[in-house]
Amino acid sequence: MAEAGAFQNQVQSVEARLDDGTHVCLRRVRHSDLGEIEKGINQLSDQSRYLRFFSGSKTMPPSVVERLASVDGIKHLAWGMINMDEKDHPPMAAAHVFRETESSDSGEFAIAVLDQYHGLGVARLLMTAIFLDCYCEGLRHLQIDILRSNNKASGLIRAIGAVPSAMEGSVAQYSLDIEVAISALQKMDHPVAIPDIMAAFAAS
């Protein structure tokens, strides 16, 4: 990983291309995105919505949507990805980190990718952006809760250094060192846009 001081958190957005050539924009989530967040949740398949929210409900309560849209960049960090190749630039994915206090060095991480964009490296690109943002904001550790049946998600976070910390019923809890995760992402050959995101944070 680059030296800790090399990254800056002034980045608001980064444009990149997925490995299949899709033009995307990664940017910070704003409260004005509330409608898009709700739309994205509704567009998830029933299975993907269950894996993300641990709920079989086809819609989320307004309080959940409001919480996801209430981003302050300190206690709640969030990045989304939009498709620049489609009209109105629809949402593709979003990642969130919550921490209890402004000075806490640990937080809770969650991510969701719309089904049609699975397998394109979207999650890894979003994780790169939000982990760099977290690191700049003083966060060093993340907790990730994943349903034990979600083998794809657990495989991905294990690949960037997450280790199991608790197993409670159907939920597995993982601990992730953010610096280790950034280093692991930095070493990956795919998606090819990871270095572009790293460079944007290093140059800001």
Side-chain angles (χ1 to χ4, degrees), residues 80-100:
M81 182 183 291
I82 57 176
N83 190 333
M84 301 297 287
D85 285 339
E86 293 190 16
K87 183 180 178 181
D88 298 328
H89 304 157
M92 303 170 65
H96 298 260
V97 170
F98 296 90
R99 59 177 169 180
E100 290 188 4

Side-chain angles (χ1 to χ4, degrees), residues 1 34 82 160:
M1 177 179 169
L34 189 148
I82 57 176
I160 58 172

Side-chain angles (χ1 to χ4, degrees), residues 79-203:
W79 280 73
M81 182 183 291
I82 57 176
N83 190 333
M84 301 297 287
D85 285 339
E86 293 190 16
K87 183 180 178 181
D88 298 328
H89 304 157
M92 303 170 65
H96 298 260
V97 170
F98 296 90
R99 59 177 169 180
E100 290 188 4
T101 68
E102 294 182 4
S103 60
S104 174
D105 70 350
S106 62
E108 297 180 7
F109 171 76
I111 187 170
V113 179
L114 268 63
D115 294 70
Q116 63 265 42
Y117 301 114
H118 288 183
L120 299 177
V122 169
R124 295 184 187 197
L125 292 178
L126 261 186
M127 288 193 298
T128 301
I130 198 168
F131 291 169
L132 288 169
D133 192 15
C134 284
Y135 196 87
C136 292
E137 287 293 337
L139 282 146
R140 295 295 179 266
H141 307 281
L142 294 175
Q143 174 187 314
I144 309 170
D145 291 340
I146 297 176
L147 288 173
R148 296 176 71 173
S149 59
N150 193 349
N151 296 325
K152 186 174 182 179
S154 60
L156 174 57
I157 64 166
R158 283 175 181 268
I160 58 172
V163 295
S165 56
M167 297 286 181
E168 298 181 5
S170 61
V171 178
Q173 186 178 99
Y174 289 84
S175 296
L176 180 67
D177 182 298
I178 293 176
E179 187 170 356
V180 168
I182 293 172
S183 180
L185 288 161
Q186 196 171 36
K187 295 173 183 176
M188 290 182 176
D189 294 329
H190 297 281
V192 296
I194 286 179
D196 296 334
I197 299 169
M198 297 273 186
F201 275 83

